[in-house]
């Protein structure tokens, strides 16, 4: 009821938004702290502690002159981009807050969000590659990324040179030289170096520092950015911008979203690298919607907690699996056997993640028996959610990959891919133990 309102009260002056605070006494606040408030001031939204979901297709201008200035920014006629919000294909409040917060995790100047990881990756590649250009990429890539380069961009005269993820500096020098020759022959340039590390599903790591050295030796680093899909280890366990990558890409569907209830993507890096991608996103659309952006803001508040717990669980589960007689091997970053891969891990990674491959004694039949007997883990593709998931890549995600190429990539019939969630580790171990008894 309204009787609480006292007419004699002096009206409180309308509060002004507080300045953004990212340091205290010279101390840089950590991402996990900044996730609770960065980029949002309750004063601007009736005091609502959490950001409302802004469902609007367009934004009212203060004046006609302000509208003109916005469009000068959007169209690039004036430096610095739009000063405010204009239209929801370009941006919105929920997406802007999300982009500010995502940039924090990778130590990036700027970030852009998209309706899926693949939208982010496709628009990124299209923004950089022109006709006759060459894309250099590591292999294996996420199947849709590899397909986009080989089957879609090829229709527009873009070619590629690929190299195995674990490649040495010597091999990378040869790859860059080959790409340069190919670009010269075609009358184009090397447009983009695109990496994915660790590779799916075998967890083989790319030496980002060696890629940067090879790129810098052969090409103009101001013209050919290095982008990397960091979905498997980011944002907690690998910070590729610290090791020489220019652009980091994510399927936010995985660890960042983390609850297997949304699909979204992002890229982050220096503004200089984001601007061409933003311009193409403005034209094409593909920005994440406000509701999904809001869900991601919620997810970011717990991403560190969730990933830490999942990582600890995976370490315990793998310690159990390692010595089991029915287990032929593990592709887990916490138990690398190759010295060069271990060296890359030590330089690049802050944790072993929670997604790994389990090789069982036997083939498809044994794997299926194992999968069909799991009771906690769900049978599904995807990864990075709160729940444990298991799948059989050879007959599922990688079924369309020719058999010979599958063998070459180590995707055998005896491989089960597992993404560990945040359940109780002992319960998970008990579940894996009883499922292995049925193999
Ligand atoms: C899932 C995934 C993608 C694609 O992301 P979507 O959000 O499904 O479009 C890209 N790269 C990697 C490594 C992935 O795991």
């Amino acid at each position: 009821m309204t009787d609480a309102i006292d007419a004699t009260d002096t009206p409180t002056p309308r509060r002004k938004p507080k300045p953004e605070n990212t340091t205290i006494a010279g101390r840089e606040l950590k991402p996990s702290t900044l996730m609770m408030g960065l980029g949002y001031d309750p004063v601007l939204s009736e005091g609502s502690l959490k950001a409302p979901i802004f469902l609007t297709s367009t934004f009212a201008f203060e004046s006609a002159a302000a509208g003109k200035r916005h469009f000068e920014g959007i169209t690039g006629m004036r430096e610095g981009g739009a000063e405010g919000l204009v239209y929801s294909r370009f941006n919105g409040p929920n997406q802007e807050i999300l982009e500010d917060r995502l940039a924090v995790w990778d130590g990036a100047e700027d970030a852009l969000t998209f309706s899926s990881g693949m939208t982010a990756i496709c628009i990124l590649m299209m923004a950089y590659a022109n006709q006759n250009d060459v894309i250099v990429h590591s292999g294996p890539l996420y199947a849709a990324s590899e397909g986009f380069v080989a089957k879609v961009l090829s229709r527009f005269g873009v070619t590629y040179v690929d190299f195995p993820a674990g490649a040495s500096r010597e091999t990378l020098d040869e790859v860059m030289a080959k790409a340069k020759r190919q670009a010269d022959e075609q009358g184009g340039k090397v447009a983009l170096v695109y990496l994915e590390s660790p590779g799916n599903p075998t967890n083989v790591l790319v030496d980002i520092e060696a890629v940067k050295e090879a790129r810098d030796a052969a090409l103009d680093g101001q013209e050919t950015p290095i982008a990397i899909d960091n979905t498997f280890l980011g944002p907690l366990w690998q910070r590729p911008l610290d090791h020489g990558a220019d652009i980091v890409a994510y399927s936010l569907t995985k660890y960042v979203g983390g609850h297997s209830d949304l699909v979204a993507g992002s890229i982050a890096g220096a503004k200089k690298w984001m601007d061409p991608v933003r311009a193409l996103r403005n034209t094409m659309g593909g920005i994440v919607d406000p509701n999904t952006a809001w869900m991601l803001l919620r997810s970011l508040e717990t991403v560190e907690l969730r990933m830490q717990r999942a990582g600890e669980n995976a370490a315990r589960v793998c310690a159990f699996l390692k010595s089991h007689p029915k287990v032929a091997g593990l592709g887990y970053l916490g138990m690398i056997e190759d010295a060069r891969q271990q060296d890359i891990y030590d330089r690049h990674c802050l944790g072993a993640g929670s997604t790994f491959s389990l090789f069982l004694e036997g083939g498809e039949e044994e794997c299926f028996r194992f999968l069909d007997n799991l009771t906690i883990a769900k049978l599904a593709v995807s990864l990075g959610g709160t729940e444990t998931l298991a799948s059989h890549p050879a007959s599922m995600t990688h079924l369309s990959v020719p058999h010979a190429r599958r063998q070459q990539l180590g995707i055998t019939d005896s491989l089960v891919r597992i993404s560990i969630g945040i359940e109780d580790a002992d319960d998970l171990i008990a579940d894996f133990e009883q499922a292995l008894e049925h193999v």
Side-chain angles (χ1 to χ4, degrees), residues 39-246:
Y40 173 69
D41 192 323
V43 167
L44 296 172
S45 296
E46 306 288 351
S48 174
L49 180 72
K50 290 301 187 195
I53 303 175
F54 289 85
L55 292 175
T56 184
S57 59
T58 192
F59 297 86
F61 303 133
E62 265 177 49
S63 65
K68 181 181 175 186
R69 279 187 67 72
H70 285 323
F71 271 89
E72 285 169 351
I74 287 275
T75 54
M77 292 170 83
R78 186 176 44 75
E79 286 283 299
E83 284 173 2
L85 295 163
V86 173
Y87 184 63
S88 292
R89 195 178 72 240
F90 307 150
N91 221 325
N94 297 105
Q95 294 94 326
E96 285 203 328
I97 301 165
L98 176 62
E99 289 173 352
D100 285 354
R101 294 188 189 174
L102 285 169
V104 164
W105 285 100
D106 282 293
E109 188 183 2
D110 199 4
L112 296 170
T113 54
F114 298 85
S115 58
S116 74
M118 281 319 301
T119 314
I121 291 163
C122 294
I123 296 184
L124 166 70
M125 288 181 174
M126 279 193 288
Y128 280 98
N130 292 324
Q131 191 177 19
N132 302 328
D133 284 353
V134 177
I135 291 179
V136 174
H137 75 77
S138 64
L141 295 182
Y142 185 72
S145 307
E146 201 157 311
F148 188 72
V149 174
K151 294 184 192 143
V152 180
L153 289 178
S154 59
R155 300 196 344 244
F156 303 95
V158 178
T159 65
Y160 67 91
V161 172
D162 63 348
F163 64 88
S168 65
R169 173 68 202 277
E170 291 70 39
T171 307
L172 290 166
D173 285 338
E174 287 161 22
V175 166
M176 296 297 168
K178 182 181 171 196
K180 222 171 138 182
R181 274 199 309 278
Q182 193 164 312
D184 286 344
E185 279 162 23
Q186 291 168 192
K189 64 179 187 308
V190 182
L192 180 69
V193 178
Y194 183 84
L195 315 174
E196 186 174 315
S197 183
N200 176 28
T202 53
N203 268 347
V204 58
L205 296 168
V206 177
D207 189 338
I208 306 164
E209 289 168 344
V211 169
K212 179 187 158 55
E213 286 164 15
R215 189 273 314 261
D216 288 348
L219 305 163
D220 179 356
Q222 292 305 307
E223 186 176 272
T224 309
I226 298 169
I228 176 168
D229 182 335
N230 196 36
T231 299
F232 270 60
L233 288 181
L236 210 63
W237 297 312
Q238 181 169 257
R239 290 167 50 93
L241 301 186
D242 293 350
H243 302 286
D246 301 297

